[in-house]
Amino acid sequence: MTTTETVTGERADLLAMLAKHRFFLTFTTRGLTDDQARQRTTKSELCLGGLIKHVTSVERNWATFIVEGASAMPNFEEMTEADFAQRENEFKLLPDETLAGVIAEYEAVARRTDELVATVDLDVARELPKAPWFTDTAWSARRVIMHIIAETAQHAGHADIIRESLDGQKSMG
């Protein structure tokens, strides 16, 4: 079994970028209660706990896509109202969920993804699932990993704004 500590080159760079943006995302929740992690602080529906849940789901689904292909992801053209309602809950820290619990799940998903980045053929391509926002037909594992990094970085920025609106704390500065 390959460990992420023995990885060099491009894989080490990908892992370092993932680690950096994961850190900033979770760092925004430092010292918060579950109620604070549920709180919406902007006009958006987003909250800190929900953002971590969403990024966890995105990373899990895309990592599974690398291994299994499009069948691992929903066909967005066939999603029902119930499917969309369930997806909406992905952006909320629900009453029976805790911040510690969603962070623990995120860390477990991150470990799985890191092992995948360390071992997968980065050039292997998979056909994308049906969705109106995909203009390509397939992505390589490398491109999927870069997408996970971009998604994590984007939501770390959202989290920073939410946290600063909550209590003035910033991730940087």
PDB file of all heavy atoms in Angstrom, residues 125-151:
ATOM      1  N   ALA A 125      -9.379   8.219 -18.012  1.00  0.00           N
ATOM      2  CA  ALA A 125     -10.523   9.111 -18.234  1.00  0.00           C
ATOM      3  C   ALA A 125     -11.819   8.331 -18.070  1.00  0.00           C
ATOM      4  O   ALA A 125     -11.890   7.140 -18.390  1.00  0.00           O
ATOM      5  CB  ALA A 125     -10.457   9.729 -19.621  1.00  0.00           C
ATOM      6  N   ARG A 126     -12.815   9.028 -17.565  1.00  0.00           N
ATOM      7  CA  ARG A 126     -14.145   8.449 -17.370  1.00  0.00           C
ATOM      8  C   ARG A 126     -15.173   9.344 -18.052  1.00  0.00           C
ATOM      9  O   ARG A 126     -15.063  10.562 -18.026  1.00  0.00           O
ATOM     10  CB  ARG A 126     -14.491   8.360 -15.879  1.00  0.00           C
ATOM     11  CG  ARG A 126     -13.554   7.526 -15.063  1.00  0.00           C
ATOM     12  CD  ARG A 126     -13.859   6.093 -15.233  1.00  0.00           C
ATOM     13  NE  ARG A 126     -13.077   5.298 -14.270  1.00  0.00           N
ATOM     14  CZ  ARG A 126     -13.032   3.999 -14.320  1.00  0.00           C
ATOM     15  NH1 ARG A 126     -13.700   3.338 -15.230  1.00  0.00           N
ATOM     16  NH2 ARG A 126     -12.315   3.338 -13.432  1.00  0.00           N
ATOM     17  N   GLU A 127     -16.195   8.700 -18.613  1.00  0.00           N
ATOM     18  CA  GLU A 127     -17.302   9.449 -19.192  1.00  0.00           C
ATOM     19  C   GLU A 127     -18.048  10.156 -18.077  1.00  0.00           C
ATOM     20  O   GLU A 127     -18.324   9.568 -17.022  1.00  0.00           O
ATOM     21  CB  GLU A 127     -18.231   8.488 -19.927  1.00  0.00           C
ATOM     22  CG  GLU A 127     -19.364   9.184 -20.635  1.00  0.00           C
ATOM     23  CD  GLU A 127     -20.254   8.207 -21.388  1.00  0.00           C
ATOM     24  OE1 GLU A 127     -19.749   7.171 -21.871  1.00  0.00           O
ATOM     25  OE2 GLU A 127     -21.457   8.491 -21.483  1.00  0.00           O
ATOM     26  N   LEU A 128     -18.372  11.424 -18.303  1.00  0.00           N
ATOM     27  CA  LEU A 128     -19.086  12.221 -17.305  1.00  0.00           C
ATOM     28  C   LEU A 128     -20.564  11.846 -17.250  1.00  0.00           C
ATOM     29  O   LEU A 128     -21.131  11.398 -18.248  1.00  0.00           O
ATOM     30  CB  LEU A 128     -18.962  13.711 -17.637  1.00  0.00           C
ATOM     31  CG  LEU A 128     -17.582  14.317 -17.415  1.00  0.00           C
ATOM     32  CD1 LEU A 128     -17.466  15.656 -18.126  1.00  0.00           C
ATOM     33  CD2 LEU A 128     -17.308  14.474 -15.929  1.00  0.00           C
ATOM     34  N   PRO A 129     -21.174  12.033 -16.080  1.00  0.00           N
ATOM     35  CA  PRO A 129     -22.615  11.798 -15.993  1.00  0.00           C
ATOM     36  C   PRO A 129     -23.368  12.874 -16.780  1.00  0.00           C
ATOM     37  O   PRO A 129     -22.816  13.919 -17.106  1.00  0.00           O
ATOM     38  CB  PRO A 129     -22.906  11.916 -14.492  1.00  0.00           C
ATOM     39  CG  PRO A 129     -21.823  12.783 -13.971  1.00  0.00           C
ATOM     40  CD  PRO A 129     -20.610  12.497 -14.822  1.00  0.00           C
ATOM     41  N   LYS A 130     -24.622  12.597 -17.055  1.00  0.00           N
ATOM     42  CA  LYS A 130     -25.455  13.575 -17.767  1.00  0.00           C
ATOM     43  C   LYS A 130     -25.777  14.736 -16.833  1.00  0.00           C
ATOM     44  O   LYS A 130     -26.292  14.544 -15.747  1.00  0.00           O
ATOM     45  CB  LYS A 130     -26.753  12.932 -18.243  1.00  0.00           C
ATOM     46  CG  LYS A 130     -26.560  11.773 -19.185  1.00  0.00           C
ATOM     47  CD  LYS A 130     -26.112  12.252 -20.543  1.00  0.00           C
ATOM     48  CE  LYS A 130     -26.055  11.080 -21.511  1.00  0.00           C
ATOM     49  NZ  LYS A 130     -24.977  11.149 -22.435  1.00  0.00           N
ATOM     50  N   ALA A 131     -25.417  15.930 -17.259  1.00  0.00           N
ATOM     51  CA  ALA A 131     -25.731  17.147 -16.511  1.00  0.00           C
ATOM     52  C   ALA A 131     -25.606  18.329 -17.463  1.00  0.00           C
ATOM     53  O   ALA A 131     -24.707  18.344 -18.310  1.00  0.00           O
ATOM     54  CB  ALA A 131     -24.786  17.318 -15.323  1.00  0.00           C
ATOM     55  N   PRO A 132     -26.485  19.306 -17.332  1.00  0.00           N
ATOM     56  CA  PRO A 132     -26.463  20.425 -18.278  1.00  0.00           C
ATOM     57  C   PRO A 132     -25.213  21.294 -18.194  1.00  0.00           C
ATOM     58  O   PRO A 132     -24.919  22.030 -19.130  1.00  0.00           O
ATOM     59  CB  PRO A 132     -27.719  21.222 -17.900  1.00  0.00           C
ATOM     60  CG  PRO A 132     -28.124  20.755 -16.557  1.00  0.00           C
ATOM     61  CD  PRO A 132     -27.568  19.383 -16.370  1.00  0.00           C
ATOM     62  N   TRP A 133     -24.449  21.202 -17.118  1.00  0.00           N
ATOM     63  CA  TRP A 133     -23.279  22.071 -16.966  1.00  0.00           C
ATOM     64  C   TRP A 133     -21.997  21.451 -17.496  1.00  0.00           C
ATOM     65  O   TRP A 133     -20.970  22.109 -17.522  1.00  0.00           O
ATOM     66  CB  TRP A 133     -23.089  22.489 -15.500  1.00  0.00           C
ATOM     67  CG  TRP A 133     -23.210  21.352 -14.532  1.00  0.00           C
ATOM     68  CD1 TRP A 133     -22.228  20.483 -14.147  1.00  0.00           C
ATOM     69  CD2 TRP A 133     -24.377  20.948 -13.835  1.00  0.00           C
ATOM     70  NE1 TRP A 133     -22.709  19.574 -13.256  1.00  0.00           N
ATOM     71  CE2 TRP A 133     -24.046  19.842 -13.034  1.00  0.00           C
ATOM     72  CE3 TRP A 133     -25.690  21.424 -13.796  1.00  0.00           C
ATOM     73  CZ2 TRP A 133     -24.965  19.184 -12.220  1.00  0.00           C
ATOM     74  CZ3 TRP A 133     -26.603  20.769 -12.981  1.00  0.00           C
ATOM     75  CH2 TRP A 133     -26.231  19.667 -12.205  1.00  0.00           C
ATOM     76  N   PHE A 134     -22.037  20.195 -17.923  1.00  0.00           N
ATOM     77  CA  PHE A 134     -20.838  19.581 -18.500  1.00  0.00           C
ATOM     78  C   PHE A 134     -20.820  19.806 -20.008  1.00  0.00           C
ATOM     79  O   PHE A 134     -21.746  19.405 -20.711  1.00  0.00           O
ATOM     80  CB  PHE A 134     -20.778  18.074 -18.219  1.00  0.00           C
ATOM     81  CG  PHE A 134     -20.533  17.738 -16.779  1.00  0.00           C
ATOM     82  CD1 PHE A 134     -21.355  16.847 -16.113  1.00  0.00           C
ATOM     83  CD2 PHE A 134     -19.485  18.310 -16.076  1.00  0.00           C
ATOM     84  CE1 PHE A 134     -21.136  16.529 -14.785  1.00  0.00           C
ATOM     85  CE2 PHE A 134     -19.258  18.005 -14.745  1.00  0.00           C
ATOM     86  CZ  PHE A 134     -20.087  17.107 -14.108  1.00  0.00           C
ATOM     87  N   THR A 135     -19.762  20.444 -20.489  1.00  0.00           N
ATOM     88  CA  THR A 135     -19.604  20.632 -21.931  1.00  0.00           C
ATOM     89  C   THR A 135     -18.681  19.574 -22.517  1.00  0.00           C
ATOM     90  O   THR A 135     -18.667  19.378 -23.727  1.00  0.00           O
ATOM     91  CB  THR A 135     -19.050  22.034 -22.234  1.00  0.00           C
ATOM     92  OG1 THR A 135     -17.817  22.211 -21.538  1.00  0.00           O
ATOM     93  CG2 THR A 135     -20.046  23.107 -21.810  1.00  0.00           C
ATOM     94  N   ASP A 136     -17.914  18.898 -21.665  1.00  0.00           N
ATOM     95  CA  ASP A 136     -17.036  17.814 -22.102  1.00  0.00           C
ATOM     96  C   ASP A 136     -17.772  16.486 -21.942  1.00  0.00           C
ATOM     97  O   ASP A 136     -18.787  16.400 -21.254  1.00  0.00           O
ATOM     98  CB  ASP A 136     -15.773  17.779 -21.244  1.00  0.00           C
ATOM     99  CG  ASP A 136     -14.969  19.068 -21.315  1.00  0.00           C
ATOM    100  OD1 ASP A 136     -14.904  19.648 -22.410  1.00  0.00           O
ATOM    101  OD2 ASP A 136     -14.443  19.487 -20.283  1.00  0.00           O
ATOM    102  N   THR A 137     -17.225  15.459 -22.538  1.00  0.00           N
ATOM    103  CA  THR A 137     -17.836  14.140 -22.399  1.00  0.00           C
ATOM    104  C   THR A 137     -17.107  13.275 -21.384  1.00  0.00           C
ATOM    105  O   THR A 137     -17.691  12.337 -20.854  1.00  0.00           O
ATOM    106  CB  THR A 137     -17.875  13.406 -23.752  1.00  0.00           C
ATOM    107  OG1 THR A 137     -16.538  13.308 -24.262  1.00  0.00           O
ATOM    108  CG2 THR A 137     -18.762  14.146 -24.740  1.00  0.00           C
ATOM    109  N   ALA A 138     -15.835  13.592 -21.115  1.00  0.00           N
ATOM    110  CA  ALA A 138     -15.055  12.774 -20.181  1.00  0.00           C
ATOM    111  C   ALA A 138     -14.009  13.648 -19.486  1.00  0.00           C
ATOM    112  O   ALA A 138     -13.591  14.677 -20.034  1.00  0.00           O
ATOM    113  CB  ALA A 138     -14.364  11.633 -20.924  1.00  0.00           C
ATOM    114  N   TRP A 139     -13.637  13.227 -18.284  1.00  0.00           N
ATOM    115  CA  TRP A 139     -12.559  13.877 -17.544  1.00  0.00           C
ATOM    116  C   TRP A 139     -11.557  12.824 -17.099  1.00  0.00           C
ATOM    117  O   TRP A 139     -11.924  11.710 -16.711  1.00  0.00           O
ATOM    118  CB  TRP A 139     -13.090  14.579 -16.291  1.00  0.00           C
ATOM    119  CG  TRP A 139     -13.726  15.910 -16.509  1.00  0.00           C
ATOM    120  CD1 TRP A 139     -13.938  16.555 -17.694  1.00  0.00           C
ATOM    121  CD2 TRP A 139     -14.250  16.761 -15.483  1.00  0.00           C
ATOM    122  NE1 TRP A 139     -14.557  17.755 -17.470  1.00  0.00           N
ATOM    123  CE2 TRP A 139     -14.765  17.908 -16.134  1.00  0.00           C
ATOM    124  CE3 TRP A 139     -14.339  16.664 -14.112  1.00  0.00           C
ATOM    125  CZ2 TRP A 139     -15.357  18.950 -15.418  1.00  0.00           C
ATOM    126  CZ3 TRP A 139     -14.918  17.701 -13.404  1.00  0.00           C
ATOM    127  CH2 TRP A 139     -15.424  18.838 -14.059  1.00  0.00           C
ATOM    128  N   SER A 140     -10.290  13.220 -17.092  1.00  0.00           N
ATOM    129  CA  SER A 140      -9.239  12.362 -16.542  1.00  0.00           C
ATOM    130  C   SER A 140      -9.296  12.419 -15.017  1.00  0.00           C
ATOM    131  O   SER A 140      -9.871  13.348 -14.434  1.00  0.00           O
ATOM    132  CB  SER A 140      -7.864  12.831 -17.021  1.00  0.00           C
ATOM    133  OG  SER A 140      -7.570  14.101 -16.444  1.00  0.00           O
ATOM    134  N   ALA A 141      -8.674  11.450 -14.369  1.00  0.00           N
ATOM    135  CA  ALA A 141      -8.579  11.472 -12.909  1.00  0.00           C
ATOM    136  C   ALA A 141      -7.892  12.758 -12.452  1.00  0.00           C
ATOM    137  O   ALA A 141      -8.297  13.372 -11.464  1.00  0.00           O
ATOM    138  CB  ALA A 141      -7.814  10.250 -12.411  1.00  0.00           C
ATOM    139  N   ARG A 142      -6.880  13.195 -13.176  1.00  0.00           N
ATOM    140  CA  ARG A 142      -6.170  14.442 -12.853  1.00  0.00           C
ATOM    141  C   ARG A 142      -7.144  15.623 -12.850  1.00  0.00           C
ATOM    142  O   ARG A 142      -7.149  16.429 -11.935  1.00  0.00           O
ATOM    143  CB  ARG A 142      -5.059  14.686 -13.872  1.00  0.00           C
ATOM    144  CG  ARG A 142      -4.292  15.976 -13.686  1.00  0.00           C
ATOM    145  CD  ARG A 142      -3.255  16.189 -14.790  1.00  0.00           C
ATOM    146  NE  ARG A 142      -2.187  15.188 -14.700  1.00  0.00           N
ATOM    147  CZ  ARG A 142      -2.107  14.090 -15.465  1.00  0.00           C
ATOM    148  NH1 ARG A 142      -3.013  13.849 -16.415  1.00  0.00           N
ATOM    149  NH2 ARG A 142      -1.109  13.236 -15.319  1.00  0.00           N
ATOM    150  N   ARG A 143      -7.972  15.705 -13.873  1.00  0.00           N
ATOM    151  CA  ARG A 143      -8.921  16.823 -13.956  1.00  0.00           C
ATOM    152  C   ARG A 143      -9.955  16.758 -12.832  1.00  0.00           C
ATOM    153  O   ARG A 143     -10.345  17.787 -12.279  1.00  0.00           O
ATOM    154  CB  ARG A 143      -9.612  16.829 -15.314  1.00  0.00           C
ATOM    155  CG  ARG A 143     -10.495  18.040 -15.485  1.00  0.00           C
ATOM    156  CD  ARG A 143     -10.736  18.345 -16.922  1.00  0.00           C
ATOM    157  NE  ARG A 143     -11.633  19.492 -17.039  1.00  0.00           N
ATOM    158  CZ  ARG A 143     -12.221  19.828 -18.163  1.00  0.00           C
ATOM    159  NH1 ARG A 143     -11.994  19.144 -19.262  1.00  0.00           N
ATOM    160  NH2 ARG A 143     -13.020  20.861 -18.199  1.00  0.00           N
ATOM    161  N   VAL A 144     -10.387  15.568 -12.487  1.00  0.00           N
ATOM    162  CA  VAL A 144     -11.335  15.414 -11.379  1.00  0.00           C
ATOM    163  C   VAL A 144     -10.693  15.882 -10.073  1.00  0.00           C
ATOM    164  O   VAL A 144     -11.305  16.609  -9.289  1.00  0.00           O
ATOM    165  CB  VAL A 144     -11.826  13.955 -11.251  1.00  0.00           C
ATOM    166  CG1 VAL A 144     -12.631  13.762  -9.979  1.00  0.00           C
ATOM    167  CG2 VAL A 144     -12.639  13.552 -12.476  1.00  0.00           C
ATOM    168  N   ILE A 145      -9.446  15.513  -9.853  1.00  0.00           N
ATOM    169  CA  ILE A 145      -8.741  15.933  -8.633  1.00  0.00           C
ATOM    170  C   ILE A 145      -8.599  17.453  -8.613  1.00  0.00           C
ATOM    171  O   ILE A 145      -8.815  18.094  -7.582  1.00  0.00           O
ATOM    172  CB  ILE A 145      -7.384  15.212  -8.515  1.00  0.00           C
ATOM    173  CG1 ILE A 145      -7.624  13.714  -8.297  1.00  0.00           C
ATOM    174  CG2 ILE A 145      -6.553  15.810  -7.381  1.00  0.00           C
ATOM    175  CD1 ILE A 145      -6.424  12.836  -8.599  1.00  0.00           C
ATOM    176  N   MET A 146      -8.283  18.040  -9.758  1.00  0.00           N
ATOM    177  CA  MET A 146      -8.191  19.501  -9.815  1.00  0.00           C
ATOM    178  C   MET A 146      -9.558  20.135  -9.548  1.00  0.00           C
ATOM    179  O   MET A 146      -9.645  21.186  -8.911  1.00  0.00           O
ATOM    180  CB  MET A 146      -7.624  19.956 -11.155  1.00  0.00           C
ATOM    181  CG  MET A 146      -6.146  19.598 -11.317  1.00  0.00           C
ATOM    182  SD  MET A 146      -5.325  20.284 -12.789  1.00  0.00           S
ATOM    183  CE  MET A 146      -6.374  19.763 -14.118  1.00  0.00           C
ATOM    184  N   HIS A 147     -10.622  19.483  -9.997  1.00  0.00           N
ATOM    185  CA  HIS A 147     -11.976  19.981  -9.717  1.00  0.00           C
ATOM    186  C   HIS A 147     -12.272  19.925  -8.216  1.00  0.00           C
ATOM    187  O   HIS A 147     -12.849  20.865  -7.665  1.00  0.00           O
ATOM    188  CB  HIS A 147     -13.017  19.177 -10.500  1.00  0.00           C
ATOM    189  CG  HIS A 147     -14.413  19.590 -10.223  1.00  0.00           C
ATOM    190  ND1 HIS A 147     -14.944  20.771 -10.670  1.00  0.00           N
ATOM    191  CD2 HIS A 147     -15.399  18.977  -9.508  1.00  0.00           C
ATOM    192  CE1 HIS A 147     -16.194  20.878 -10.264  1.00  0.00           C
ATOM    193  NE2 HIS A 147     -16.496  19.805  -9.551  1.00  0.00           N
ATOM    194  N   ILE A 148     -11.873  18.847  -7.555  1.00  0.00           N
ATOM    195  CA  ILE A 148     -12.065  18.734  -6.102  1.00  0.00           C
ATOM    196  C   ILE A 148     -11.308  19.863  -5.396  1.00  0.00           C
ATOM    197  O   ILE A 148     -11.829  20.492  -4.469  1.00  0.00           O
ATOM    198  CB  ILE A 148     -11.612  17.349  -5.583  1.00  0.00           C
ATOM    199  CG1 ILE A 148     -12.532  16.250  -6.111  1.00  0.00           C
ATOM    200  CG2 ILE A 148     -11.570  17.325  -4.052  1.00  0.00           C
ATOM    201  CD1 ILE A 148     -12.014  14.836  -5.878  1.00  0.00           C
ATOM    202  N   ILE A 149     -10.092  20.133  -5.836  1.00  0.00           N
ATOM    203  CA  ILE A 149      -9.301  21.219  -5.249  1.00  0.00           C
ATOM    204  C   ILE A 149     -10.011  22.558  -5.451  1.00  0.00           C
ATOM    205  O   ILE A 149     -10.148  23.351  -4.507  1.00  0.00           O
ATOM    206  CB  ILE A 149      -7.877  21.251  -5.852  1.00  0.00           C
ATOM    207  CG1 ILE A 149      -7.085  20.009  -5.439  1.00  0.00           C
ATOM    208  CG2 ILE A 149      -7.142  22.534  -5.435  1.00  0.00           C
ATOM    209  CD1 ILE A 149      -5.798  19.796  -6.222  1.00  0.00           C
ATOM    210  N   ALA A 150     -10.478  22.814  -6.670  1.00  0.00           N
ATOM    211  CA  ALA A 150     -11.160  24.080  -6.963  1.00  0.00           C
ATOM    212  C   ALA A 150     -12.433  24.219  -6.133  1.00  0.00           C
ATOM    213  O   ALA A 150     -12.710  25.293  -5.589  1.00  0.00           O
ATOM    214  CB  ALA A 150     -11.471  24.164  -8.458  1.00  0.00           C
ATOM    215  N   GLU A 151     -13.199  23.164  -6.031  1.00  0.00           N
ATOM    216  CA  GLU A 151     -14.444  23.184  -5.248  1.00  0.00           C
ATOM    217  C   GLU A 151     -14.134  23.472  -3.774  1.00  0.00           C
ATOM    218  O   GLU A 151     -14.807  24.285  -3.134  1.00  0.00           O
ATOM    219  CB  GLU A 151     -15.149  21.829  -5.391  1.00  0.00           C
ATOM    220  CG  GLU A 151     -16.464  21.738  -4.709  1.00  0.00           C
ATOM    221  CD  GLU A 151     -17.647  22.162  -5.558  1.00  0.00           C
ATOM    222  OE1 GLU A 151     -17.491  22.365  -6.773  1.00  0.00           O
ATOM    223  OE2 GLU A 151     -18.739  22.301  -4.982  1.00  0.00           O
TER     224      GLU A 151
END
